[in-house]
Amino acid sequence: EIPVMASYNGWESNKQQQHQNSELIPRPLGIFWDIENCSVPSGKSAFAVCDKIRKQDFFQGHREIQFAVVCDANKESKNVLEELDKAQVDIIHIAATRKNAADDKLKQIMRRFADLHRDGSRIILISGDVDFAADIADFKRRMCLSVILLHNSNASESLILAASEVHNFYDILSTLPVKHENIITRINDELTVSNLPSIKDC
């Protein structure tokens, strides 16, 4: 009986150690930015905005897997797009040919992230659009993800209540200085934007 108890105690010890180790492994984190709803503040650098977001406490214990912005690249400022690209943000172009096209694409890539990473992962949604409420509530309750909402002042109560944690996007950015021209050194003029139409589609 004594060897059996020793074996059980050893198994219990290993189980606890595995649990402790799993808590030390950074969990996947994805940032999804509805930039048409929560735009870069006037006079502020998009590069600095991304850096500020990445320095928030809700990044602790997590590792960034994806940082995506969905927008109509033809309508967004070229300087903003260049700064986002230099901040290593995925810029996904969706032509504004129908209502909520960008929102639908953002929902799609958030669902893909949630399906892939599941329990313990974290989604940061930057938007004040109530259309995201059902999706983030599902991520939180059914898929066991934590959802951090960075919202604008017009965000509805239903959107705010659907998230695990909420912060005002513009309050976070309030301490950012007004940018100076050429704050980012140009290395080249290449800009990566995915999902642009091909010539034959035009």
Side-chain angles (χ1 to χ4, degrees), residues 24-186:
L24 295 175
I25 299 172
R27 299 289 187 175
L29 177 147
I31 309 102
F32 304 93
W33 188 356
D34 177 9
I35 200 168
E36 294 174 0
N37 185 269
C38 289
S39 59
V40 176
S42 178
K44 304 292 176 76
S45 159
F47 187 92
V49 168
C50 296
D51 182 63
K52 186 73 172 179
I53 292 168
R54 285 169 168 148
K55 289 179 177 176
Q56 297 304 301
D57 289 343
F58 46 70
F59 264 70
Q60 291 183 5
H62 293 77
R63 59 189 175 92
E64 182 182 320
I65 299 295
Q66 186 174 14
F67 194 147
V69 167
V70 176
C71 64
D72 187 332
N74 297 316
K75 294 186 176 181
E76 192 59 61
S77 160
K78 183 182 177 183
N79 287 337
V80 167
L81 294 177
E82 287 179 347
E83 290 171 352
L84 290 173
D85 186 59
K86 288 178 171 64
Q88 297 185 322
V89 172
D90 297 326
I91 305 167
I92 302 168
H93 167 74
I94 293 294
T97 54
R98 64 180 179 83
K99 187 179 179 181
N100 297 328
D103 289 354
D104 290 343
K105 184 64 178 179
L106 200 59
K107 290 177 184 178
Q108 181 187 71
I109 60 176
M110 280 197 299
R111 289 190 198 109
R112 190 177 300 145
F113 177 91
D115 286 337
L116 183 62
H117 299 291
R118 294 277 176 163
D119 297 9
S121 300
R122 174 164 290 174
I123 282 179
I124 298 173
L125 172 64
I126 306 174
S127 180
D129 194 330
V130 70
D131 289 345
F132 291 102
D135 290 89
I136 63 174
D138 188 57
F139 297 151
K140 182 178 73 172
R141 294 169 188 157
R142 186 174 64 86
M143 296 184 172
C144 299
L145 276 72
S146 61
V147 181
I148 310 298
L149 175 69
L150 308 185
H151 61 86
N152 57 25
S153 57
N154 298 321
S156 69
E157 183 181 23
S158 59
L159 178 67
I160 289 173
L161 292 176
S164 311
E165 183 180 327
V166 297
H167 302 273
N168 186 296
F169 178 60
Y170 295 105
D171 285 351
I172 289 175
L173 306 180
S174 62
T175 57
L176 286 181
V178 175
K179 70 174 181 176
H180 300 288
E181 292 302 318
N182 301 323
I183 190 171
I184 299 175
T185 303
R186 286 177 174 268

Side-chain angles (χ1 to χ4, degrees), residues 184-199:
I184 299 175
T185 303
R186 286 177 174 268
I187 299 174
N188 55 52
D189 290 325
E190 292 183 358
L191 173 64
T192 303
V193 178
S194 62
N195 208 42
L196 285 170
S198 62
I199 296 174

